[in-house]
Amino acid sequence: MIYFATFFSHFGAMRYKILCQQQQIVCRTMPVPRGLSSSCGTCVRCEERWLPVQGSDAEDLEQVAAWDGKTFTVVYHT
Amino acid sequence: MNTKKERIHIIVAGLIIGVISALLVFFGNPANMGFCIACFLRDTAGALGLHKAAPVQYIRPEIIGLVLGSFVMALARREFAPKGGSAPLTRFVLGFFVMIGCLMFLGCPFRMILRLAGGDLNALVGLVGFVLGILVGVFFLKKGYSLKRTYAMPKLEGFLFPAIQVVVFVLLVVAPAFIYFSEAGAGPGAKHAAIAISLVAGLIVGALAQRTRLCMVGGIRDAVLFRESKLLLGFVAIFLSALISNLILNVATDATYFKLGFEGQAVAHTDWLWNGLGMLLVGFGCVLLGGCPLRQLVLSGEGNSDSAVTVLGLVVGAAFAHNFGLASSADGPTSAGKIAVLIGIAVVALIGCLNTFKKKA
């Protein structure tokens, strides 16, 4: 499974990517897929698992959606 | 998540938008100005009496159409989402100075492409400045620039900007005495396609831009940040289809739609330094805003009140530019305009620095 985390700001995506990398989650930043949002911002694509965050780290996190190869399923939303 | 399909969508949208842009000139818009968000907001500001430059006063239905086209598409696809609260006044100031940069160059990024497609090589200098400005903006993004998050807003907040467009459209059609329109032959404001044609063109482009997230700044930004060329393809498609349409119109009609060179271009000047610096300011400011002026209009239609505030900044910037002699003309830039662009670059850089902080974690 692939997870896409979207954010309210580019900075939020950068910060989340660093947090994921610290937890050895394979991830990268990329433009938000059109099927997920009309926003043209930055998302973080996580392979196999995503990182739940809390407090100030969660401030910029908008949603996390799982991609099964066909459809997106929202697994977290603010 | 079909990337190939997304690419095809944006290329097709770009091709359609390029053709529409060329046809708008055929139907009466100024040369190389089928669309120009900066020029059209400036004309609308003049029509509403916010500036008194008689040659550039007309309520442009294309702007109204862009917002309403995006609005309808967003509603239809259940993507209309009122939100805002991300540093609105900062966005207003950025919008203000982006307009100062646009009116130094005489066009927004959209018109820059259309000027290139019309053979205006001055736009090539503008493109270099534009790319440099985007690179500076991307530097700040990489360093942690942020205007902080947006928040969900009440429905009314999202409906207001499209509603304002309807009111402005009524003013255009009714044309009461307090609305100013450039007299025939007075300048670019007097040149326009029929209202219905302009409105429909705006509606189509607005809907397509909402659907594809087309953005003149986003294309280059994503290519630099993520090596992702999707948005850039739309940019290229608009250029190619407008270029081919112009060449066809050149042959099929008596008017000139394509003229290669620097000299004698329509609504343009040849001062390379200030063409470049004007667009550098535009590229830099737009990256910090998160999108070009076209994208700001489209987002306003989707219910984003931050983008609506940015558009208001653009409008006020246009009014200032013409009230205080900051806007360039075919004769070249003004001294006041040069000072304003330098101040603009300094202010945008300051905003960038003050909103960039070290990454935590």
Side-chain angles (χ1 to χ4, degrees):
Chain A
M1 192 74 83
I2 299 167
Y3 297 91
F4 291 89
T6 67
F7 301 86
F8 294 108
S9 71
H10 175 80
F11 176 73
M14 286 170 56
R15 192 165 60 174
Y16 187 80
K17 183 187 162 197
I18 291 170
L19 290 171
C20 286
Q21 286 172 335
Q22 286 174 346
Q23 299 299 317
Q24 277 75 50
I25 295 174
V26 179
C27 64
R28 64 182 169 95
T29 52
M30 61 176 280
V32 178
R34 181 63 184 94
L36 189 54
S37 168
S38 64
S39 154
C40 57
T42 306
C43 74
V44 176
R45 175 188 161 130
C46 298
E47 310 295 330
E48 295 180 12
R49 64 190 178 102
W50 64 284
L51 179 69
V53 285
Q54 290 180 330
S56 63
D57 290 332
E59 258 178 31
D60 278 348
L61 182 60
E62 184 185 18
Q63 66 171 340
V64 179
W67 170 251
D68 61 5
K70 285 181 182 171
T71 54
F72 289 106
T73 307
V74 176
V75 294
Y76 169 86
H77 204 292
T78 51
Chain B
M1 196 183 61
N2 189 334
T3 309
K4 190 179 171 189
K5 199 171 160 188
E6 279 184 36
R7 282 171 187 268
I8 292 170
H9 280 173
I10 201 158
I11 290 171
V12 171
L15 293 174
I16 294 170
I17 291 170
V19 172
I20 289 174
S21 303
L23 286 176
L24 279 170
V25 177
F26 173 75
F27 285 119
N29 276 14
N32 297 345
M33 207 189 283
F35 272 98
C36 174
I37 310 307
C39 312
F40 290 0
L41 286 173
R42 180 267 320 273
D43 291 352
T44 303
L48 297 174
L50 299 177
H51 69 71
K52 301 296 181 191
V56 285
Q57 294 175 320
Y58 178 61
I59 293 174
R60 292 282 180 180
E62 290 90 344
I63 295 288
I64 298 164
L66 283 169
V67 176
L68 295 181
S70 162
F71 173 67
V72 171
M73 181 61 94
L75 276 181
R77 297 189 59 82
R78 298 185 177 186
E79 290 180 329
F80 180 76
K83 56 186 171 186
S86 166
L89 198 54
T90 303
R91 290 177 188 275
F92 180 92
V93 173
L94 287 171
F96 179 97
F97 282 110
V98 164
M99 181 58 89
I100 299 298
C102 286
L103 293 179
M104 169 57 75
F105 170 72
L106 293 175
C108 68
F110 196 166
R111 184 170 187 245
M112 179 183 70
I113 300 173
L114 298 179
R115 279 175 60 174
L116 276 173
D120 180 352
L121 295 178
N122 299 296
L124 212 51
V125 182
L127 179 62
V128 171
F130 185 57
V131 173
L132 287 175
I134 290 173
L135 292 177
V136 177
V138 166
F139 167 80
F140 279 96
L141 285 183
K142 284 184 170 176
K143 290 290 174 190
Y145 169 83
S146 173
L147 288 181
K148 304 286 184 185
R149 60 163 292 180
T150 55
Y151 296 87
M153 293 278 168
K155 284 260 192 253
L156 177 67
E157 188 75 5
F159 281 114
L160 268 178
F161 199 72
I164 290 170
Q165 302 309 308
V166 175
V167 173
V168 174
F169 184 70
V170 171
L171 290 175
L172 168 66
V173 174
V174 175
F178 57 84
I179 297 296
Y180 300 85
F181 291 121
S182 299
E183 307 251 335
K191 294 180 180 176
H192 49 82
I195 292 174
I197 291 174
S198 297
L199 182 66
V200 170
L203 286 167
I204 295 170
V205 174
L208 289 174
Q210 195 280 336
R211 188 74 194 91
T212 57
R213 304 187 297 190
L214 194 75
C215 176
M216 308 300 155
V217 171
I220 298 170
R221 179 200 62 199
D222 287 359
V224 175
L225 265 179
F226 311 117
R227 305 278 180 263
E228 166 62 62
S229 62
K230 199 163 52 196
L231 286 177
L232 200 57
L233 291 174
F235 196 103
V236 174
I238 291 175
F239 168 72
L240 289 176
S241 72
L243 173 66
I244 293 166
S245 302
N246 283 335
L247 290 171
I248 292 170
L249 286 168
N250 237 17
V251 174
T253 67
D254 295 332
T256 305
Y257 292 87
F258 180 87
K259 180 184 166 190
L260 191 64
F262 287 94
E263 301 286 341
Q265 296 290 349
V267 199
H269 62 78
T270 56
D271 191 319
W272 63 270
L273 175 64
W274 293 98
N275 274 328
L277 284 177
M279 287 312 282
L280 185 148
L281 173 55
V282 174
F284 186 10
C286 286
V287 170
L288 300 195
L289 281 167
C292 69
L294 169 69
R295 182 75 183 144
Q296 300 300 332
L297 284 174
V298 169
L299 288 173
S300 304
E302 286 182 25
N304 189 321
S305 61
D306 290 332
S307 291
V309 170
T310 304
V311 173
L312 296 180
L314 290 166
V315 170
V316 173
F320 261 71
H322 281 280
N323 284 335
F324 297 100
L326 313 180
S328 302
S329 67
D331 297 330
T334 66
S335 300
K338 293 175 183 176
I339 294 169
V341 166
L342 293 177
I343 292 172
I345 293 171
V347 170
V348 173
L350 187 64
I351 288 173
C353 290
L354 293 176
N355 289 284
T356 302
F357 42 88
K358 217 173 172 185
K359 282 174 276 185
K360 294 170 188 170

